[in-house]
Amino acid sequence: MRVALALAVALAPSCSSSKPSPSPSPSPAASSTSTTKSVVSAKDLGPLAARLQYEAAHRPTSGLRAERVLDAIDAAGLQLADRKQFLGLTAHASFCAGGTTRDGVGISICEYDSAAAATAAKAYVDRQYAFADATRTAHGSALLTVIGSHEATERAVHAFEAL
Amino acid sequence: MRLRNKLLGAAMALASTVAPTAGWTSSHREAPFITKNPKVDGTDFYIFNSYEAGRSGYVTLIANYLPLQDAYGGPNYFGLDPSALYEIHVDNNADAQEDITFQFQFQTALSGGTGIALPIGPSGQTKSVAVPFAAVGALGAGSEGARNVLDTYTLNIIRGPRRTGTSSAVTMAGTTTATFEKPIDNIGSKTIPNYAAYANTFIYNVDIPGCTPPAGTHPKVFVGQRKEGFAVNLGQIFDLVNFTTANGGPLANVVGAEDQGLNTIANKNITTLALEVPASCLTSGSSTIIGAWTTASVRQARVINPTGTFSEPSREGGPWVQVSRLGMPLVNEVVIGLPDKDKFNGSEPKDDAQFADYVTNPTLPAVLELLFGGIGVHAPTTFPRADLVTAFLTGVPSVNADGSTAELVRLNTAIGATAKGSQNNYGAVGCFDSPTASAGAALNPTGHADCDAAGFPNGRRPGDDVVDIAIRVAMGALLDTTHATAQGCIHAGQMNCLPYVDGAGVSDADFDATFPYLKTPVAGSP
């Protein structure tokens, strides 16, 4: 915990930073538009930040990108207060991001190398981190997790699956 | 798979880079400076209405020191510091300053002044040579002739400020004897065949000046080694390697079973300073609420003796300086930032406003979100965190709030104890209604079968699982669901919450039903 706390002291400000990501520019396969909001990644924050930067620098070169999914969900009326990078390893993912809306809907999107990897990861996460309030949906090579009302979850999932 | 292995390898490297030599325990080696002074490192502090049969009306106070003792740590084992003050403070008028202090001071001596010696050499030419061991024969209840190192202590009660108040000696009941003995640590079964019976002879009935106990009873004191009572999954829960099963081995699931067998300090020992005092001797006026904490202090200066002896390896001088402070569990670990941990250890509750930002804007939830956000964990979004101020700094209104704002353990002595076997290890957390989208958890002590108002945070009992409670509260268990999307659960089966755990369970079943409650220490040899 002392580790976590020490990291937290360093990480917390950056997690809410509005500075643009220093991580690699989107791959050619990314379909983000110029109006797409970036995901803030941690930097200069010690070993865990290095791990996060590693994940940010090794995102899949094809498939759904987190920014695009979050843009679609945003357009569906579920705007995140902040977009944050999460540790992908937890979900067996290459990269994860997300946040919380002002109405209290939690959104997480993780990127995988393939659709099969996303499906396998969903099975793993459902088994290892089972909780009834989370709705997890694998689509293409991405995995969406929504915690919120039934209506909000449906909207987010619909926007996700339409991509 | 190759990438996965690479990721895992990177994570392991990362974990090994940042992992401390000792991990997250309640207050074990929690601040940089205290790691240099383990003998005065306070680790856990308990205060609760005694639940031993026949001891109603008493409050038990337990301060643990000297963390992570391996039972085999001979030949010197784990004596306390004769140059230090170990203190338990009680505030009974809600000003966050001590009104009563129980002050322990230790003395260590060799048997007979020079230690046990043996005649060595041929007949007629023997030399008397001191042995190198702490004991040279079997010890038992009332039989300590073979003990080579003798530990004793005095206990004073100080009314008023700890350094300028009125000090009186606590004495053995019915006597004027003011020196108590501390049992030798649990060396092993050959030296001490029945350690439990041996140690029990060091539980003293005492007289406390100015304190009238219930008729036919006496306050008690015990100082000695005990089995570590704190339970925690050291390191794994925040170790990145923990989040994948690819490497096998025991792994904690943060939303898995409450007890996953991952208490990594289960076989450690600790040194306990335990008191049992009538509640009426601790409270003041009509208030039944007291706040308490423990500290250790050393002299400001220490000069190493270049020709050190057993009795004088160094010389200390100057004013007392507080180097360890412990009240609520986990505060100096998961709340206070690294730059201020030693400052916190030297501080007093009345000055806690200087640490307020750590409570109102905590970092722990942000870290949990960072690590677990991919699977749906999100930090609460409301600031300042008034719920944490209530949990850590003021106490719960109508339960143990006393009007002060400071970090100490508050106990309402009027709330009856819950007997061993009936305690809820999530303490008084179950006394709250589940939050709604628009309202945080409201206190409803009569509305829930799992309400155990005699438990943490109304005081703290050994069997209260404060790690799980702390994680859940930090993750917004008391907040409305709009501002805590993935909040910790209060009740089993509650919806819209996550049952965060560390995988190291603890309950009243892990402790004795009688003073000093903590179990007989692990033996140094079978």
Side-chain angles (χ1 to χ4, degrees):
Chain A
M1 174 49 66
R2 290 183 292 128
V3 174
L5 180 57
L7 291 170
V9 170
L11 291 170
S14 291
C15 287
S16 59
S17 168
S18 59
K19 294 178 182 176
S21 168
S23 56
S25 54
S27 69
S31 54
S32 301
T33 67
S34 60
T35 59
T36 297
K37 297 176 186 174
S38 65
V39 171
V40 176
S41 71
K43 63 174 184 177
D44 301 328
L45 301 170
L48 183 54
R51 172 68 206 179
L52 292 166
Q53 288 179 337
Y54 175 91
E55 293 184 355
H58 293 78
R59 295 172 67 173
T61 55
S62 61
L64 284 172
R65 289 182 72 86
E67 291 87 343
R68 185 180 172 208
V69 174
L70 295 176
D71 282 349
I73 292 173
D74 186 297
L78 297 168
Q79 292 92 11
L80 301 186
D82 293 299
R83 293 184 179 185
K84 307 172 187 176
Q85 182 185 354
F86 305 138
L87 186 68
L89 186 67
T90 308
H92 285 186
S94 298
F95 179 84
C96 290
T100 308
T101 72
R102 299 193 190 285
D103 297 328
V105 180
I107 305 284
S108 302
I109 182 74
C110 293
E111 299 174 359
Y112 295 86
D113 291 336
S114 66
T119 301
K122 178 180 182 303
Y124 162 75
V125 173
D126 281 344
R127 181 177 67 252
Q128 185 74 2
Y129 300 107
F131 41 94
D133 305 318
T135 298
R136 295 192 176 101
T137 306
H139 173 58
S141 58
L143 174 62
L144 175 73
T145 301
V146 183
I147 299 179
S149 67
H150 178 71
E151 184 271 337
T153 300
E154 278 204 332
R155 262 196 291 160
V157 171
H158 179 75
F160 176 51
E161 292 184 327
L163 295 173
Chain B
M1 191 58 172
R2 178 176 297 173
L3 176 59
R4 180 62 55 210
N5 288 339
K6 191 174 181 180
L7 293 174
L8 177 60
M12 293 178 72
L14 167 59
S16 64
T17 300
V18 300
T21 54
W24 177 27
T25 52
S26 185
S27 183
H28 303 52
R29 295 168 51 82
E30 85 291 350
F33 183 70
I34 203 65
T35 61
K36 301 178 181 178
N37 303 279
K39 287 177 180 288
V40 287
D41 184 358
T43 63
D44 281 282
F45 180 65
Y46 306 94
I47 177 171
F48 52 94
N49 292 315
S50 299
Y51 54 86
E52 177 181 344
R55 299 296 284 181
S56 64
Y58 274 88
V59 172
T60 298
L61 307 99
I62 297 173
N64 284 347
Y65 281 85
L66 219 172
L68 304 175
Q69 299 175 15
D70 286 315
Y72 49 79
N76 290 303
Y77 298 96
F78 303 96
L80 293 176
D81 186 351
S83 303
L85 292 180
Y86 297 84
E87 297 176 310
I88 294 173
H89 310 286
V90 177
D91 167 30
N92 59 23
N93 61 4
D95 63 359
Q97 299 180 73
E98 67 272 12
D99 300 294
I100 298 171
T101 292
F102 294 97
Q103 183 184 84
F104 297 79
Q105 269 194 290
F106 293 85
Q107 300 84 38
T108 299
L110 292 171
S111 177
T114 56
I116 296 173
L118 297 176
I120 304 296
S123 179
Q125 300 176 29
T126 59
K127 292 185 177 181
S128 181
V129 180
V131 300
F133 305 116
V136 293
L139 306 178
S143 174
E144 284 214 294
R147 184 173 174 180
N148 197 21
V149 178
L150 308 175
D151 296 312
T152 59
Y153 62 95
T154 57
L155 171 59
N156 290 334
I157 180 171
I158 300 164
R159 291 188 166 82
R162 65 183 83 168
R163 300 289 171 260
T164 59
T166 303
S167 179
S168 308
V170 174
T171 55
M172 289 186 199
T175 77
T176 58
T177 302
T179 299
F180 305 90
E181 294 182 17
K182 172 180 173 291
I184 200 167
D185 291 343
N186 195 356
I187 295 172
S189 58
K190 188 171 183 180
T191 302
I192 314 163
N194 186 344
Y195 192 87
Y198 165 74
N200 280 343
T201 64
F202 296 85
I203 299 173
Y204 297 99
N205 288 329
V206 297
D207 292 328
I208 300 175
C211 171
T212 303
T217 68
H218 289 284
K220 293 179 181 177
V221 64
F222 169 82
V223 175
Q225 192 180 42
R226 298 280 92 186
K227 185 177 186 297
E228 173 63 85
F230 192 65
V232 67
N233 175 12
L234 197 65
Q236 285 194 348
I237 196 168
F238 295 112
D239 183 340
L240 298 181
V241 178
N242 185 40
F243 304 149
T244 173
T245 55
N247 65 335
L251 301 166
N253 181 341
V254 74
V255 289
E258 180 183 332
D259 188 358
Q260 300 169 44
L262 294 173
N263 178 15
T264 49
I265 61 171
N267 290 319
K268 301 290 185 182
N269 289 329
I270 204 75
T271 300
T272 290
L273 288 65
L275 280 168
E276 193 180 34
V277 182
S280 60
C281 297
L282 299 174
T283 57
S284 175
S286 59
S287 175
T288 59
I289 299 171
I290 55 176
W293 69 104
T294 184
T295 65
S297 300
V298 297
R299 294 289 188 183
Q300 193 169 35
R302 171 172 292 178
V303 179
I304 307 300
N305 184 351
T307 55
T309 63
F310 181 89
S311 60
E312 196 172 49
S314 62
R315 285 189 179 179
E316 285 75 19
W320 293 105
V321 178
Q322 181 184 306
V323 294
S324 182
R325 170 188 169 187
L326 184 58
M328 293 286 275
L330 306 168
V331 167
N332 208 14
E333 290 68 32
V334 304
V335 179
I336 305 297
L338 187 61
D340 286 330
K341 287 179 181 296
D342 287 311
K343 184 178 185 180
F344 180 85
N345 267 343
S347 67
E348 297 184 27
K350 66 181 176 60
D351 300 320
D352 278 350
Q354 64 187 315
F355 303 115
D357 285 351
Y358 287 119
V359 179
T360 59
N361 297 62
T363 54
L364 173 63
V367 172
L368 289 174
E369 180 180 56
L370 182 68
L371 297 176
F372 292 93
I375 57 102
V377 168
H378 298 281
T381 57
T382 186
F383 298 97
R385 289 288 300 276
D387 59 318
L388 298 184
V389 172
T390 297
F392 286 111
L393 298 182
T394 67
V396 179
S398 302
V399 179
N400 64 346
D402 59 4
S404 66
T405 302
E407 191 281 296
L408 32 72
V409 189
R410 291 174 176 81
L411 173 70
N412 188 335
T413 61
I415 294 176
T418 304
K420 175 180 161 77
S422 299
Q423 296 176 13
N424 183 335
N425 64 342
Y426 282 4
V429 174
C431 302
F432 289 84
D433 288 334
S434 299
T436 67
S438 58
L443 185 66
N444 181 10
T446 60
H448 303 282
D450 58 347
C451 172
D452 182 0
F456 184 80
N458 179 30
R460 179 190 174 193
R461 302 168 301 198
D464 291 334
D465 193 341
V466 295
V467 177
D468 285 4
I469 295 170
I471 297 173
R472 294 184 186 196
V473 172
M475 291 305 289
L478 304 177
L479 292 173
D480 65 74
T481 58
T482 299
H483 292 97
T485 302
Q487 66 185 181
C489 295
I490 293 175
H491 304 286
Q494 178 185 340
M495 297 298 290
N496 302 317
C497 66
L498 295 182
Y500 297 103
V501 298
D502 76 329
V506 65
S507 75
D508 55 355
D510 298 317
F511 300 92
D512 291 335
T514 58
F515 182 86
Y517 296 98
L518 274 63
K519 289 283 193 182
T520 297
V522 177
S525 76

